[in-house]
Amino acid sequence: MAKDHFMERNEFELLTGYYSPVSDAYMKEGLAAAMHRVKMCQLAVESTSDWLMVDSWEPRQTTYQRTAVVLDHFDEELNKTEGGILTKSGQRKPIRIMLLAGGDLIASFGHPGVWDPQDLHHIVGHYGSVIIERTGTDVYGFLLSHDILYQHRMNVTVIKQLIHNDISSTKIRLFVKRGMSIKYLLPNPVIDYIHAHKLYSYTK
């Protein structure tokens, strides 16, 4: 949906998108080990996409990396180390880096103590965000009510869901745990990997 949005408007040339799985230090209950999540993301993009990639810097870290720091990592690698994108004219231009997120993640910006206000200014003000609507989330209403997001609203792109989809990683994990089918919810190589490594299975 994000790719279609930018292609239709021809405002930016979309170069690539990166999955950046969180490290084991995040300590979220129910998550598989980072090595497995990286592999599943790699299997997913290899079988379904010609523009998405997986970056393993964040999951390799031994401490939790805030989202603002992860975006700084991409800026460092793509713009400072690589020098940006080489254009047809032979000049290099900086790559615009943005956080792609679902409306449910953006809603967490308003939860007290979850996000540091300075990080939010850095993420949305310096980089910008592309928000995909999620079923049951009023993204526009949240943008209006959240002071920091409203301040940087011109740096936020909201993409309307044309087909409603409330599939989430949490639901996938629960389906596997309960022995329910996840066919058609994930690419087949990822489903095979989950079963082969007995991820998310219920154990007594």
Side-chain angles (χ1 to χ4, degrees):
M1 285 184 283
K3 183 180 180 182
D4 287 345
H5 175 89
F6 288 113
M7 286 182 64
E8 180 182 349
R9 280 153 184 77
N10 203 28
E11 183 180 1
F12 297 104
E13 180 185 0
L14 184 62
L15 298 175
T16 190
Y18 289 97
Y19 282 102
S20 182
V22 73
S23 76
D24 290 331
Y26 187 52
M27 301 292 288
K28 181 177 179 179
E29 185 179 356
L31 287 187
M35 59 173 284
H36 290 308
R37 288 181 282 110
V38 169
K39 184 61 178 177
M40 285 188 286
C41 286
Q42 289 171 338
L43 289 170
V45 300
E46 286 169 4
S47 60
T48 63
S49 179
D50 60 359
W51 70 283
L52 290 170
M53 294 187 283
V54 184
D55 185 85
S56 63
W57 177 84
E58 182 180 0
R60 291 198 314 268
Q61 304 309 301
T62 56
T63 57
Y64 169 65
Q65 302 297 310
R66 305 185 324 277
T67 302
V69 174
V70 176
L71 291 173
D72 286 342
H73 154 71
F74 282 107
D75 187 40
E76 178 71 29
E77 290 296 317
L78 297 173
N79 287 321
K80 297 188 173 77
T81 302
E82 296 295 330
I85 186 72
L86 184 63
T87 64
K88 291 179 180 178
S89 67
Q91 293 182 320
R92 287 196 173 271
K93 292 181 64 176
I95 297 171
R96 173 91 184 266
I97 295 165
M98 301 180 80
L99 172 68
L100 174 64
D104 50 346
L105 176 68
I106 298 302
S108 73
F109 283 3
H111 297 166
V114 176
W115 295 85
D116 183 284
Q118 289 304 116
D119 277 2
L120 292 184
H121 280 292
H122 191 60
I123 293 167
V124 187
H126 180 67
Y127 291 111
S129 184
V130 179
I131 305 173
I132 307 290
E133 280 188 330
R134 290 292 289 265
T135 304
T137 304
D138 181 9
V139 174
Y140 288 101
F142 189 73
L143 277 175
L144 187 65
S145 64
H146 193 282
D147 291 342
I148 295 176
L149 286 181
Y150 186 75
Q151 178 183 340
H152 301 297
R153 63 191 180 280
M154 301 308 291
N155 224 16
V156 176
T157 300
V158 179
I159 299 175
K160 189 169 182 62
Q161 258 196 20
L162 299 179
I163 296 178
H164 291 284
N165 177 359
D166 66 348
I167 296 173
S168 69
S169 56
T170 300
K171 287 184 179 179
I172 296 293
R173 291 194 296 270
L174 281 173
F175 277 26
V176 175
K177 182 177 180 180
R178 302 303 183 202
M180 299 167 69
S181 173
I182 55 173
K183 191 167 179 62
Y184 309 119
L185 302 181
L186 294 174
N188 286 335
V190 179
I191 295 175
D192 293 341
Y193 187 89
I194 289 172
H195 291 321
H197 293 272
K198 297 180 172 57
L199 303 180
Y200 313 122
S201 298
Y202 174 76
T203 55
K204 292 185 179 180

